[in-house]
Structures are given as structure tokens and as C-alpha cells.
Amino acid sequence: MKTSRALRSVAAVSAAVLMSAGLVACSSSDDKSSDNGNQPGTEISATGIDDGTELTMWTRAPLERQAKTLVEAYNKENKNQVKLEIIPNDDMEGKVGGAATNGDLPDLLAGDVVRLPNWVDNGLFTDITGQIDGLDFVSDIARGHLDAGTTTDGAKHTVPFVTDVSVMFWNKDLYREAGLDPEQGPKTMKEFQEHAQAIGDLKKDGVAGTYYGGNCGGCLLFTWFPTIWASGDEVLSADGTEALLAGDSAKELYTIYRELNEGGAVGVGSKEETGATWTAPFQEGKVGVMSYPNTMLSTVIEAGIDVGVGPIPGIDGGESTFLGGDAMGISKDSKNVEQAWHFLSWMLSEETQLNVVAQAGDVVSRVSLLDNEYSAKDPRTLAINKVVESGRTPVSVNFSEAFNAAGSPWITLFRNATFGDGATVDADNDAITEILSQ
Amino acid sequence: MSSSTLSPAPAGLKKRPGSKKRSWQGLLYATPTALFVTGLFVVPIIVVLIMSASDWSLLGGNKGTNFPKNYVDVLDHRMFWDAVLFTLKYTAIATILLIALGLGLALLVQESTRWKGLLRTTFLIPSALGLASASLLFYALYSPQVGPISAFFEKIGLTEGRVSVLGTPDGALWATVFLIVWRFAGFYMLLLLVGLQGIPGDVYEAARMDGASRLQVFGKITIPLLRPSLALSTIMCVTGSLLAFDQFYILTKGGPDGSTMTIVQLIYNLAFESKRDLGLAAALSVLTLLALILINMFQLRVLRGSDEK
């Protein structure tokens, strides 16, 4: 019978339907959001209110340690109490999206600086321009995280929460073995190439000159953009709608890595590295020199690696870094805006930055405090802190689609440029622009 | 049409007293299941259909109707056809290998006299592991730095130095296929073994009496009588492969160069990573659903058609 056959066919795919539906289903609701998002002039006092309110906060799992340190210190010192919820990194976008639709966002919302422009653009945050500009140390706050939450009309929505910068790490033991000066990391990318090749030429089992996330868009914008900035070039146009990744310094950077690949100096896993294990080989003592996230310093030291730390250089000198990490703002759904601002202003204060953030070995968000008693104890920490001053954060609404997402045109560009012959850089750069300009 | 009067119902078809009450009882018995199916199956489909026709962004919510633009945009997306072609290619490879290997293992277990229990358990063990866990295990096994597979290839002289198994499009595809075969072959063996054991022994005995060779018995008796089990296995395998996600998300993230991007990965990508557009992702989900219905109807017609004539 035809009908029963059709019914059986439908039944056979029911599981498939549920899975497909489950991927995208989310409850529809009326727009219950408050109208704080992107609305200027919400009246908040300079320091906010500390009256024993319970505040909710969301942050992503990679920053759990830093978030807990801050929240525990705040809850100890103040009447307001922050209830922290840690969200798995890959679930963050979906969770925030669902909550934004239903008006259920927490009071305090932290997000990756590269995602923030899109969040701000969608009105997820309360405009706190007046409060930020009212701080007597506003010019002292690291710019990148402020810029990420600033709209084109100048409205500010976020402040730095956790600063994660990219720096150059080198393994001093491998430097010694290769006859290199273990106290001098590369000052130019040409030197970087020489050092990496020298260590690769040792032909030690499982040891590579360098390593990179060859299938990880986020890893490489974090570690390669600084070289382009340090060389005096830009990666994006001022309005974030055009990619400038086919310039001279960018092409030289790709050439350096392509030649290192050809010379056998790049760790073999680089070609497939999705980012899941991109920091692991260095921690295992298997990599000579590579760009690396500063937040991994203590882990590397604990792993017994004699590590040198320096800024990421340009092709022929200079230095820069990618000011990554998370910025934080007050969500559009917060009913406790004054109390939430109290937390943010407390977090940015000199006492908190020194006695909580710096003491925990993290990078402070105030430029004048980068050279402090805690960072002075270890030249490596000081090197990390100093590079913040020259740091940048690129801002574009379609950033994730163009750079971070699986199969992004940025991944195509650097794979063709470093594993291929590098002949398609201009066309691949245009493909990035096509997405940025949508 | 001419009007006609209904002839009185034959006496044998007259409703017996109490049948109305029994039909209400039947409805009551079916209500919990009906509610369950409606809540978990019908409502999500309706939501997805509405979503697919709406301008529904992940962060901005529903901003109104967007039909048929979502469907047009999905078909125009730079990764759509690559994802479709790759998913079909992967489905064909995985289905052929899994059904062939599953049948081979089932026959091996069926024919074995002394080791039947041991073989069945051994083949089935990988199926006890979750797919995500198995994918993570293989991610470590394939790792050029710490994985034994790359080291083994190097040791036996197959490669010069460590190789990046997942670093090329073909390597990534076949490495994932190997994982899937390892993980699911035992499961399909079990399905087909149940079918094999359901074939009456006297049919084989009659064939042997008639002088049929082993090959003739397999081709003329085993395969035709195994058709329902083969149909079920093939449909499950095709559906599962067309909806592949976990293994590729963990092993390759759709790479290298988007070469292992499956349809469901693209749905996830559109919803949560790149576009953050639930309307677009829902449109692709609906297209996937329609494709699945058509493919499964075709399979049922081919695999079970002759049984129902």
C-alpha cells in the first residue's frame, strides 16, 4: 500500500527530523527585552550602588580562573554578590542568542572581543558611555576592549575584563642545542625564521622549529596580525569592511612560513591543527619558537620548560600584539544597572587591578599599572605587560564569519599561502572583503 | 453527481453496544504518547518551518517574514554545494563499507561454531563507546606528535617522518571513514545477525538437498530473505551518514579548506558560528529533511518493494 509505505518512510526519518530541528529550534517569544540596549544616557552614579543585590554574570570556560578570582574578591569586599555562571566556549553564542531573544540575559555579560561588535550591533548591552567617560582614569584603560564595544557613533558599552595577549615564546634548552643565544628571542620575523630553521635542522625526534594552527582561523589572527601591525601595515580598513591581508608585509609573513614548511621546520601536526591542541607541543618541549597566548605562561613553566618571552616582531623589527580576551558590559536585560556598574568600576580600580589581577599573574587593564610590583618579580611577566601598550584589536561586525568560523576565507588564504604556492593571496583576500562588506 | 441513498448497513457491521466506550478508552491510552510525540516531534518541526520562513537572527530574534529569501540564500551560499557533494560522497562510502563489513562479520559469527560468543562481543565492543568519545580517541591516535598511527607508519617505512593524517582532504575523509567503520561495523553486524538467525534452517536444508552451491545459497536465499534487515540497516546507515556531525566537528572542524564540511556542520556553522542566522540554518534543515524523506522513500521502495507486491 502506497500510503502505508509513505508513512513508514516518514517514520524512518523521524530521528533525523528531531536532530535537524534540535539544532535550530529555539522558543519564539515576544520581544520582552528592555529598551536599554544601545540607548544613551541611562542614569547611573559614578561608582554605582552597593546595596546587597545579587548580580548574575556569564563568562566562557577558558576564562574561568580569572573570572572566579575577580568574583570571589568582589563578593568578599562588597555587599553586592555576583553569581557567576561559566559557559562552555562553544555554547556561548547559542546561549546568549536564546537569552537575548527571551530577555533573559544576565546583569553582567562578558564576551570574546572579536564577537563583541556583533553583540553590540544587536543591542545586547546597555550604553554606559557617561559612566566610562566619567572615570578619572578613562585614558588609562587599554583601548582594545573599549573599542570592541564602541559603536560607530561613539557610544561605549564594554570595559576590559580579561586581557589575553599574543607573545613570542622560545624554548631556551632547544636554543642552546641549536647554538642560539637562549636569552635573545627573535627581534624580527627574519630572525624568527632563522631560529626556527636552526632548531628544525637539529632533526631531533618529534622536535620542530615552530608550530602553528594551520586549520584554526582564531589561532592565526591572534598570532599573525601583530606581525603585520608591527611592520606598519593594517589588517582591516578603518571601518572594518575591507581586508588588507595581501599587503607586502603580510605576503612576506606567509612566505616565511611557507619556506619553513618547505625546510621541514614546522611541526607536522600544524597542517591539521584545529586549535584544540595548538598550545600542547610547546608545553611538551617539542617546539623551538612560536607565537603563543600569554595566559599559558604559568602552565608552560609548570610543565618544566625553560621559556623565554618577548614581543611578536614585525618583518624587519618593531613589535605588537593582539589584545584578545574578553570585555564585559551590562546587558540590555539587567534590572540592576547601578549595581552592575558598581562591579565594573570596582574591577577597573587601581586596588583591584593590582591586588587581584596583577597578584594572580594576569595582565592588568590599566596602562599605567602594567609595570607593577608583581610583574617586576618576573621579567617574562613584565615583557608580556609591556607589549599591551602596542596592542590592537581589529573591529568588524562580520569578523567571526570572515576569520574564526570553520571554513572561513581567512583559513583558505593562509593555507593556500603557506601550504600551497601562495599564488592566490590577492583573490583570497578579496573573498574575505566580500564577507566583511556585507 | 446523482444523489444516492445510503443502503442500510449489513447486520454484521452494526456497532455493538459498548464499542463507543471502548474507542474512548483507546484514545485515552494513546493520549500520553500522542502528547509526547506532539511536544517532541511535531512542535519542533512547526517551529523550524516558521523559522525557515523568517528573518530570525541568533541575537536579534524574529524580525518578520523572509520567505523565500532564506532558501535562495542557502542555495547561493559559497559552501552549500560543496557540503552537499561531500556529504553524499561520505554517505556512499560509509554505507557501502559498513553494510558490506557488517554482513561479512554477521556471516562470520553465524558460521562460527566455537567462537560465536567471543566474536560477537569483540565486534560489538566499539559500539559501546559514544561517538564523540570515539572521535576524541581517534583524534589522539591520529596526532602526529603523540599518536601511535603516525609513528607506526614511519617505523615500517611507509612514510618519511611523521605524517599529518588529517592534513589533506583525502586523508581527513578516509581517517574519519575508518573511525566510523570501527565504531559502527559491530552494530550493523548485530542488526544483520538477527536477520540471518530469522531465516528458517529448513530452507537451507532444502537448498542443499537440491545441490545448490554456497554462492547460490547466499545469492538466492540469504540475500532475498535478509532484505528487511538490509533495508533497515541501509536506511539507518544512510540517514546517520547524511546527518554526520560529531566525528567531523571533533576530528577536522570541516577542514582542511572546508573539504570535510557536512550539511549538518554547515547548519551549525550558519546558526552559531558564521552568519548567526537561525532562519538560514532552519531553511537548510528543512531542505535536509525533505531530502531525507525522498531518499528514504526511494530506498524503501527499492529494498522492500518486492516484498509487498
Side-chain angles (χ1 to χ4, degrees):
Chain A
M1 287 183 40
K2 281 184 180 178
T3 310
S4 65
R5 269 211 301 273
L7 282 172
R8 274 200 300 274
S9 303
V10 172
V13 300
S14 59
V17 179
L18 282 172
M19 183 179 167
S20 295
L23 271 170
V24 290
C26 86
S27 60
S28 159
S29 74
D30 298 336
D31 187 10
K32 293 183 282 184
S33 62
S34 70
D35 58 0
N36 280 337
N38 279 346
Q39 295 304 306
T42 309
E43 286 301 320
I44 315 171
S45 56
T47 55
I49 293 175
D50 182 22
D51 60 358
T53 301
E54 185 181 87
L55 297 164
T56 50
M57 181 197 288
W58 288 358
T59 187
R60 58 195 175 107
L63 305 177
E64 181 175 359
R65 180 184 61 80
Q66 293 92 330
K68 276 187 172 170
T69 304
L70 277 163
V71 166
E72 281 168 13
Y74 180 80
N75 289 348
K76 206 170 167 181
E77 286 178 34
N78 298 280
K79 290 186 205 147
N80 290 343
Q81 294 295 291
V82 174
K83 193 174 165 212
L84 175 66
E85 186 174 343
I86 305 290
I87 295 159
N89 196 40
D90 289 348
D91 296 349
M92 191 75 184
E93 206 72 41
K95 174 131 179 156
V96 168
T101 305
N102 298 324
D104 292 333
L105 287 169
D107 296 301
L108 293 155
L109 178 63
D112 189 334
V113 283
V114 299
R115 288 175 177 161
L116 272 178
N118 189 271
W119 289 12
V120 171
D121 197 54
N122 277 283
L124 265 56
F125 291 103
T126 298
D127 182 340
I128 48 174
T129 310
Q131 286 63 48
I132 293 173
D133 288 344
L135 295 168
D136 52 16
F137 51 81
V138 64
S139 58
D140 193 33
I141 300 172
R143 298 291 326 163
H145 293 53
L146 278 182
D147 293 344
T150 304
T151 50
T152 47
D153 61 356
K156 298 185 178 80
H157 301 81
T158 59
V159 297
F161 173 51
V162 173
T163 304
D164 185 7
V165 294
S166 47
V167 284
M168 191 65 79
F169 274 29
W170 62 93
N171 183 316
K172 292 184 179 181
D173 291 334
L174 290 173
Y175 263 53
R176 286 187 196 98
E177 281 185 60
L180 301 165
D181 182 353
E183 301 310 320
Q184 292 296 323
K187 295 280 188 293
T188 67
M189 281 308 285
K190 298 275 171 62
E191 271 185 27
F192 163 83
Q193 184 177 3
E194 288 163 19
H195 294 182
Q197 193 60 60
I199 291 159
D201 288 344
L202 291 172
K203 301 291 179 199
K204 282 188 73 175
D205 185 37
V207 170
T210 191
Y211 189 82
Y212 64 99
N215 199 24
C216 171
C219 306
L220 291 200
L221 62 93
F222 185 61
T223 53
W224 286 13
F225 282 10
T227 290
I228 298 169
W229 289 323
S231 306
D233 286 337
E234 292 295 331
V235 296
L236 298 179
S237 60
D239 61 0
T241 59
E242 187 188 352
L244 305 172
L245 292 158
D248 292 343
S249 58
K251 282 180 175 171
E252 283 190 68
L253 173 67
Y254 311 142
T255 302
I256 285 168
Y257 277 94
R258 186 167 63 251
E259 287 173 354
L260 285 169
N261 269 313
E262 288 162 359
V266 178
V268 70
S270 287
K271 204 170 181 182
E272 69 194 43
E273 181 58 69
T274 61
T277 56
W278 78 287
T279 58
F282 190 90
Q283 289 170 46
E284 292 159 5
K286 305 272 188 183
V287 176
V289 56
M290 70 182 281
S291 309
Y292 215 71
N294 80 284
T295 46
M296 298 300 292
L297 178 62
S298 55
T299 312
V300 167
I301 293 169
E302 280 165 24
I305 306 295
D306 187 4
V307 60
V309 179
I312 294 175
I315 301 296
D316 297 310
E319 60 183 56
S320 187
T321 189
F322 190 109
L323 273 178
D326 281 29
M328 182 178 277
I330 303 167
S331 86
K332 67 178 176 68
D333 300 326
S334 176
K335 303 287 184 288
N336 306 300
V337 174
E338 295 253 23
Q339 292 82 353
W341 174 248
H342 184 268
F343 175 85
L344 295 179
S345 59
W346 169 88
M347 182 174 71
L348 293 171
S349 68
E350 185 171 335
E351 294 74 22
T352 306
Q353 289 293 308
L354 289 176
N355 301 331
V356 180
V357 179
Q359 192 173 10
D362 295 316
V363 178
V364 295
S365 307
R366 301 261 302 268
V367 177
S368 65
L369 305 177
L370 288 168
D371 191 352
N372 58 66
E373 59 181 294
Y374 301 104
S375 63
K377 288 176 186 169
D378 187 337
R380 292 170 299 197
T381 310
L382 191 58
I384 289 168
N385 279 10
K386 281 199 163 151
V387 84
V388 171
E389 294 174 57
S390 58
R392 305 271 300 275
T393 306
V395 177
S396 176
V397 172
N398 295 327
F399 195 90
S400 285
E401 185 180 359
F403 293 101
N404 295 73
S408 74
W410 162 237
I411 296 175
T412 303
L413 184 148
F414 66 67
R415 284 185 67 85
N416 287 339
T418 63
F419 298 122
D421 60 5
T424 58
V425 170
D426 291 288
D428 292 338
N429 181 69
D430 291 342
I432 300 174
T433 296
E434 202 177 313
I435 287 174
L436 292 175
S437 60
Q438 282 170 3
Chain B
M1 275 179 72
S2 60
S3 64
S4 61
T5 52
L6 287 169
S7 55
L13 292 179
K14 274 185 180 173
K15 284 191 177 177
R16 283 173 296 184
S19 65
K20 204 168 188 177
K21 187 183 171 190
R22 271 198 296 277
S23 72
W24 275 109
Q25 281 176 338
L27 274 175
L28 276 174
Y29 280 122
T31 299
T33 307
L35 288 173
F36 192 78
V37 168
T38 304
L40 286 180
F41 182 67
V42 179
V43 172
I45 288 181
I46 292 167
V47 171
V48 170
L49 285 169
I50 293 167
M51 211 178 254
S52 73
S54 308
D55 179 8
W56 197 316
S57 79
L58 178 67
L59 298 172
N62 188 355
K63 296 180 187 126
T65 308
N66 199 32
F67 184 82
K69 192 173 181 298
N70 283 338
Y71 289 89
V72 173
D73 287 352
V74 158
L75 295 172
D76 277 346
H77 192 274
R78 64 191 174 88
M79 291 171 122
F80 174 76
W81 289 110
D82 286 345
V84 168
L85 291 172
F86 174 75
T87 306
L88 291 173
K89 181 181 173 183
Y90 166 75
T91 299
I93 293 168
T95 304
I96 290 165
L97 286 177
L98 278 171
I99 300 300
L101 198 64
L103 182 58
L105 295 176
L107 289 166
L108 191 68
V109 172
Q110 174 88 337
E111 296 298 314
S112 173
T113 48
R114 287 184 63 186
W115 308 106
K116 190 174 282 201
L118 179 69
L119 287 173
R120 195 173 48 212
T121 307
T122 307
F123 295 148
L124 204 58
I125 281 173
S127 301
L129 198 62
L131 183 53
S133 307
S135 301
L136 284 166
L137 172 69
F138 272 70
Y139 187 81
L141 290 174
Y142 289 142
S143 164
Q145 289 89 23
V146 296
I149 291 175
S150 186
F152 174 72
F153 286 162
E154 186 186 18
K155 234 179 189 69
I156 62 171
L158 202 66
T159 59
E160 276 186 44
R162 301 287 173 95
V163 286
S164 187
V165 179
L166 300 167
T168 62
D170 283 340
L173 167 64
W174 288 102
T176 311
V177 166
F178 181 69
L179 152 71
I180 289 300
V181 167
W182 176 85
R183 167 65 177 71
F184 284 101
F187 173 75
Y188 288 105
M189 171 214 71
L190 198 66
L191 279 182
L192 294 167
L193 189 61
V194 171
L196 281 174
Q197 288 171 344
I199 299 172
D202 49 12
V203 179
Y204 286 117
E205 205 172 319
R208 273 196 297 274
M209 299 267 296
D210 291 340
S213 68
R214 272 178 169 272
L215 201 64
Q216 284 174 315
V217 167
F218 180 73
K220 304 278 186 188
I221 292 172
T222 305
I223 292 294
L225 291 176
L226 202 57
R227 195 172 261 197
S229 298
L230 280 170
L232 175 69
S233 302
T234 308
I235 285 168
M236 286 181 73
C237 195
V238 167
T239 305
S241 303
L242 287 171
L243 295 173
F245 176 74
D246 313 42
Q247 60 271 38
F248 288 105
Y249 187 77
I250 291 168
L251 282 180
T252 69
K253 275 276 198 305
D257 294 334
S259 63
T260 58
M261 180 68 69
T262 62
I263 293 171
V264 177
Q265 255 188 300
L266 187 56
I267 291 171
Y268 178 86
N269 187 295
L270 293 172
F272 302 115
E273 283 188 339
S274 59
K275 296 280 185 191
R276 299 186 182 105
D277 188 330
L278 297 181
L280 213 54
L284 183 50
S285 299
V286 171
L287 292 175
T288 307
L289 168 63
L290 292 173
L292 280 170
I293 290 171
L294 290 172
I295 288 167
N296 282 316
M297 283 172 78
F298 172 75
Q299 283 187 101
L300 279 168
R301 188 173 291 265
V302 169
L303 289 162
R304 298 184 65 178
S306 61
D307 293 347
E308 300 186 1
K309 278 173 187 169

